[in-house]
Amino acid sequence: MPQQAKDMRRLALAMGGVSVAGYVVDYGFNLGLTRFLTPHAYGDYKVAFSFAFFLGLAVLLGGDRAAPMVLSPAIEQARPRKVWEYLRFYLQTAALLGAAAILVTWALSVLHLGSSDSEDHHVLTLAVLAVPLNAAAAMVSRTLQSARRPARAAVPWRVGLPLFQLGLFAGVVAWRGELTVYEAISIGILATAGLTWWQWLDIRRLGLVELRRDQAARQSRAWLMASLPMMGTFLVALALNQSDLYFLELLGDDSEVGHYAAASMAAHFVPLVQVALVGLMAPLVLPALNKGAGASRTLFRQGQTLILASVLPLGAVLVIFAEPILGLFGPSYRDGLNVLIALVLGNVAWALAALSSLWLQYRRRAVAVLVVSIVTLAFDSLLNLILIPRYGMEGAAASTAATLLLAAVAIVLLHWWHPPSSPSPEKPEDGK
């Protein structure tokens, strides 16, 4: 077996272990949260968390998505000032857009309710304060990933953060006898700030960044040209996964939001494994493309084999044991059985197309992927409007499963029509 394949398998096993551990911890975190909060409050927490997470990535304009394309070569060439120029540009952008997002959210909430009393507003008006912080967290984690330290990038967030937050939640309940959704969000913001700072110090200790300007290395226009299509594709895919919660909040029964969130969290194990494996592959794609079609095809086959061997057995386990998995949240959460099965099937289909999407984006076909994603989101929204009033959370799950399947088929077909023999993209850092 070639050395690269052996290294990939070893790293994939390590990241698979991180994904499993992270999922177990996250599952325990959500189980604990459902014990501390009512189903309605738990649904509000998930909506607010999803809102802040989505905006936190949106304000980066794709800087986190494109980071491996720029930072991996810079780190390999020992150019820490260039790393800082990239981080500085996107962190400044996120800070400005994040501040605007906070002001707009507050203004819209006040205009909608006609009140400035914080108790009258949805908890997402508190969660939106985390938007610039979430953006910074994504950038520091991507820097470690670009340095080919995937475990150091992922373990603190997948394992450390949920455990730390759950411990703080339990402490508040032991002290006061209850936990409010506002307190849960506040604790999450503080814990995220602490972990972001800790990873920033880790980057500094590793010598990956030097806080000195290098104007010659700043290629803002080229970076944005590469990152914006990637941002659009990722955010549309993220919106596709999260829009069901918003539609249920608006069109469905409030109690179903919490039940749907629990089923969605259980099904989320599949995207977690997918993201870990794609993150492992991302720093390797551009060098393989620059070596030629043969190297690109070999790397793609190796990555696809890893995804197939990971995702298909995982999906089968989640479907077979769907009822006991949901039963851990409480007896009423078993109502989401069909929701969990549908979401798992949709997530598996999308995971199998994930590498095709990555290859298309790194070969400057991100606009085509973005078009597919936008059409998919529009179709999913239309189905939600039709199905949720009639079938509730099961209609929302069926909508997402169907659209993810169609999107996966479209992405794979696009990849076939644009084979790896296409000219490899020029590096964004060259400014061309």
Side-chain angles (χ1 to χ4, degrees), residues 222-245:
W223 294 341
L224 285 172
M225 291 296 291
S227 70
L228 282 171
M230 288 186 173
M231 176 204 70
T233 301
F234 176 75
L235 290 182
V236 170
L238 186 62
L240 181 64
N241 286 323
Q242 295 182 353
S243 62
D244 292 346
L245 285 175

Side-chain angles (χ1 to χ4, degrees), residues 246-408:
Y246 304 131
F247 276 107
L248 274 173
E249 185 84 7
L250 293 172
L251 304 174
D253 188 336
D254 285 344
S255 64
E256 287 194 332
V257 177
H259 292 163
Y260 187 95
S264 179
M265 181 269 148
H268 191 60
F269 196 6
V270 175
L272 279 180
V273 172
Q274 168 209 316
V275 169
L277 294 178
V278 171
L280 176 65
M281 300 289 294
L284 307 175
V285 176
L286 192 59
L289 287 169
N290 289 331
K291 288 178 182 177
S296 175
R297 283 194 293 266
T298 298
L299 183 64
F300 182 84
R301 283 196 300 268
Q302 292 169 349
Q304 195 67 26
T305 300
L306 289 174
I307 287 184
L308 282 167
S310 304
V311 167
L312 291 181
L314 173 59
V317 169
L318 289 174
V319 169
I320 292 169
F321 296 101
E323 188 168 356
I325 287 172
L326 288 174
L328 293 173
F329 287 95
S332 66
Y333 286 89
R334 288 194 177 96
D335 293 343
L337 176 64
N338 292 332
V339 172
L340 175 54
I341 292 173
L343 292 179
V344 167
L345 295 177
N347 286 335
V348 166
W350 181 249
L352 296 180
L355 283 189
S356 294
S357 176
L358 181 68
W359 250 252
L360 286 165
Q361 292 179 67
Y362 271 66
R363 289 178 10 247
R364 303 296 174 88
R365 305 288 181 181
V367 173
V369 179
L370 178 58
V371 170
V372 171
S373 302
I374 291 174
V375 171
T376 303
L377 178 60
F379 185 57
D380 179 61
S381 299
L382 177 61
L383 286 180
N384 275 325
L385 290 171
I386 296 172
L387 297 179
I388 288 177
R390 298 181 183 180
Y391 304 106
M393 61 182 177
E394 291 185 355
S399 169
T400 295
T403 49
L404 285 175
L405 176 60
L406 292 174

Side-chain angles (χ1 to χ4, degrees), residues 46-75:
K46 298 297 286 188
V47 168
F49 175 85
S50 299
F51 177 77
F53 181 73
F54 180 89
L55 283 184
L57 298 181
V59 298
L60 280 172
L61 303 182
D64 60 318
R65 300 286 101 190
M69 291 174 72
V70 178
L71 297 186
S72 291
I75 291 170

Side-chain angles (χ1 to χ4, degrees), residues 114-152:
S115 169
S116 59
D117 188 342
S118 61
E119 293 185 359
D120 295 334
H121 295 264
H122 195 281
V123 70
L124 64 81
T125 56
L126 173 62
V128 74
L129 294 174
V131 167
L133 178 60
N134 289 342
M139 290 305 297
V140 296
S141 179
R142 281 286 182 169
T143 303
L144 288 168
Q145 184 190 91
S146 299
R148 300 191 185 180
R149 289 174 168 82
R152 292 175 82 152

